[in-house]
Amino acid sequence: MVENDAKDKKTKYQKLEEKLALKKKSAWALFTDKQKKDAFKLCDDYKLFLGKVKTEREAVKEIEAFAKDKGFSQIGNVKKLIPGARVYDIFKDKNAALIIAGKKPLSSGARIIVSHIDSPRLDLKPKPLYEDSGIALMKTHYYGGIKKYQWVNTPLSLHGVVVKSDGVKVEVNIGEDLSDPVFVVSDLLPHLSAKEQNKRTTVNIIKGEELNLIVGNIPVADDSIKQKIKLAVLEHLFDKYGIVEEDFVSAELEAVPADAPRDVGFDRAFVGGYGQDDRVSVFTSMEAVESIKTPEHTTIVLFYDKEEIGSVGNTGARSKYIEYLFGMILEKLGEDKFSHTVQKSLINSIALSADVSAAVNPTFKSVNDLYNSHLCGYGVALEKYSGGGGKYSGSDASAEFVGKIRSLFIDKGVPWQAGELGKVDEGGGTTIAVFFASQGMDIIDVGVPVLGMHSPFEIVSKADIYSAYLAYKAFLGL
Ligand code: MN
Ligand code: MN
């Protein structure tokens, strides 16, 4: 049989299957040579971003610098927004928004991508410093859902701010430069673990109160002093930063992995590094909005804090900031800003919750329903719903909206896959989607699959990072 005959014998169904086959192949196989090159180039920039941005405050700073560089003006300084105008807003140094005014009124709805800039880490306690057994240590309080044992014996850097009693804010960033010292939580040696540690349940192998950072060893010379090493550390902090012990009460200091992001694999197909949940979405959505000129609908790319602890607080996605921002944009567009119009604008908006999902780990496949799971390198993950058990506390996008996004991805050649986080009864998780959905808008989770999520070294395929960029760009142009 010659090839042409074979083609002719294909049924209508087979032809349709072929058209939709995009989702069934590795994204690497779908990309052109140019796209592969672009994917690697994008990820080189991404690694620089990821290595530089390790806290929510640093993310906001970087987003602001990016905005200024790409022609966005601070919204407060702009009198009137005309179609194509690019503005940004910063809220409490922990939220950011990049906005491009559309041709249509905002009340007809915006195109929103929302991601989060916070990542799991170890925060210093309000009274962190103590001395014990010849070592000065600092007590930490973990932030977000970590497997605590992963955070021991790994170099950590310290980032954040200290507000002194006179109101002066001191910025701290120590441990990133190779000449800087780092900090570390030391685990128990295996030789002495038999009784103390080996019988513990997995979750308690390292307990919260055991996450104590090593910060010093050299005592002051004065023999009349009881805690000589602690004092020496305090003297160092005073000399270097002008801070005293009580200043830690009004500080936000975060211990994060000090390592720089690296390529992973002989083929360099993966990016490994800390904080990819969710800064991979932050970076790709920033890059995507940059390419938008004058959209039909106003484009808003949002970056939130506090997702990892439930989107709570005044800088989390449950806050009133979104209503405030919409009111401000309406005012600048010259539309009325009655609360009804704000709500109408929110209800008419559509959004992507740009957050990572789990990739199948070949060593632990039992936690996945392999018919409904995400593979590394198979494109951006489209998750209709989140939640735990019977979809509790999750967001569930409508079939109509999922259909719209699916068609868009097929239309624009975006490699994508559909699935769930894991097995139904295995656990679960949610994202910002649920809080934005409560505003009445349609929203769905679209993000990259990750290996080792919330660990100090998360792994993401570059094909998926590039697919996410393509997906976000396609969506913002809707
Ligand atoms: Mn996340
Ligand atoms: Mn997370």
Side-chain angles (χ1 to χ4, degrees), residues 99 228 332:
I99 303 135
K228 297 184 187 62
K332 301 280 180 185

Side-chain angles (χ1 to χ4, degrees), residues 107-418:
S107 54
S108 72
R111 301 293 175 260
I112 301 170
I113 295 181
V114 56
S115 60
H116 65 93
I117 52 179
D118 61 319
S119 294
R121 60 187 188 242
L122 308 181
D123 287 341
L124 292 195
K125 288 194 181 190
K127 291 184 273 180
L129 186 62
Y130 69 103
E131 175 183 334
D132 196 353
S133 312
I135 302 175
L137 300 113
M138 282 184 170
K139 301 222 46 104
T140 69
H141 194 135
Y142 61 91
Y143 172 96
I146 61 165
K147 291 168 100 169
K148 295 186 274 289
Y149 71 82
Q150 295 178 337
W151 291 71
V152 297
N153 300 338
T154 189
L156 301 170
S157 57
L158 208 53
H159 296 235
V161 297
V162 182
V163 178
K164 299 199 289 183
S165 59
D166 59 3
V168 171
K169 188 156 76 180
V170 181
E171 301 215 6
V172 176
N173 184 333
I174 183 163
E176 294 300 333
D177 195 287
L178 281 178
S179 66
D180 281 353
V182 293
F183 308 93
V184 68
V185 177
S186 189
D187 195 5
L188 187 58
L189 67 171
H191 316 67
L192 295 176
S193 293
K195 285 185 189 160
E196 172 67 31
Q197 197 177 38
N198 291 358
K199 294 198 173 86
R200 295 184 183 184
T201 54
T202 314
V203 73
N204 283 319
I205 287 175
I206 296 291
K207 298 175 188 170
E209 293 301 340
E210 292 168 346
L211 291 168
N212 303 317
L213 288 178
I214 292 175
V215 300
N217 182 226
I218 305 175
V220 292
D222 187 345
D223 266 342
S224 68
I225 304 289
K226 255 193 180 169
Q227 296 189 303
K228 297 184 187 62
I229 308 166
K230 178 179 169 178
L231 183 66
V233 169
L234 284 170
E235 279 185 356
H236 169 81
L237 290 170
F238 187 75
D239 290 345
K240 176 133 197 224
Y241 301 104
I243 59 177
V244 298
E245 189 173 10
E246 198 182 270
D247 290 334
F248 284 110
V249 169
S250 47
E252 286 172 7
L253 290 170
E254 308 174 9
V256 297
D259 302 311
R262 303 286 295 270
D263 287 340
V264 175
F266 290 117
D267 56 3
R268 298 177 174 268
F270 299 92
V271 172
Y274 164 70
Q276 303 205 64
D277 173 10
D278 184 31
R279 294 184 196 121
V280 65
S281 311
V282 172
F283 177 79
T284 45
S285 59
M286 272 164 73
E287 290 291 320
V289 73
E290 200 250 310
S291 67
I292 302 294
K293 299 293 175 226
T294 307
E296 287 297 310
H297 290 267
T298 294
T299 289
I300 305 176
V301 178
L302 285 162
F303 309 95
Y304 273 96
D305 179 30
K306 297 287 186 283
E307 194 277 340
E308 294 295 356
I309 57 167
S311 296
V312 291
N314 60 0
T315 53
R318 299 194 209 207
S319 78
K320 300 289 178 197
Y321 173 65
I322 187 71
E323 287 98 324
Y324 169 76
L325 180 71
F326 266 62
M328 190 155 53
I329 301 170
L330 284 167
E331 184 182 10
K332 301 280 180 185
L333 285 167
E335 296 177 57
D336 77 62
K337 49 169 183 159
F338 300 126
S339 62
H340 173 75
T341 314
V342 170
Q343 206 56 59
K344 186 177 164 192
S345 308
L346 285 164
I347 282 179
N348 285 337
S349 293
I350 56 173
L352 298 186
S353 164
D355 204 346
V356 302
S357 187
V360 172
N361 182 331
T363 311
F364 298 103
K365 281 196 288 195
S366 66
V367 301
N368 295 107
D369 161 13
L370 295 170
Y371 298 112
N372 289 282
S373 49
H374 309 299
L375 301 180
C376 279
Y378 276 65
V380 77
L382 180 75
E383 271 181 18
K384 185 178 183 295
Y385 48 83
S386 54
K391 302 189 182 180
Y392 289 104
S393 308
S395 179
D396 192 351
S398 71
E400 289 86 348
F401 186 56
V402 183
K404 187 179 175 123
I405 300 302
R406 172 177 167 241
S407 301
L408 173 74
F409 290 171
I410 292 169
D411 206 38
K412 300 285 183 187
V414 176
W416 65 283
Q417 50 187 326

Side-chain angles (χ1 to χ4, degrees), residues 23-24 37 44 49 63 65-66 106 120 129 133 140 145-146 164 183 283 297 358 397 414 427 447-448 457 470:
K23 65 181 187 295
K24 293 167 189 159
K37 233 175 143 183
D44 282 343
F49 171 85
I63 292 162
F66 175 89
L106 182 59
L129 186 62
S133 312
T140 69
I146 61 165
K164 299 199 289 183
F183 308 93
F283 177 79
H297 290 267
V414 176
V448 304
F457 199 74
L470 294 177

Side-chain angles (χ1 to χ4, degrees), residues 47-87:
K47 280 181 288 175
L48 291 176
F49 171 85
L50 195 63
K52 200 171 167 192
V53 171
K54 296 206 174 175
T55 68
E56 61 284 4
R57 286 176 188 267
E58 287 171 0
V60 165
K61 270 196 180 163
E62 195 61 22
I63 292 162
E64 184 169 22
F66 175 89
K68 283 178 177 165
D69 188 47
K70 304 295 180 191
F72 289 76
S73 313
Q74 197 162 22
I75 191 166
N77 297 336
V78 175
K79 282 212 171 74
K80 191 166 167 44
L81 287 179
I82 55 164
R86 295 152 88 93
V87 289

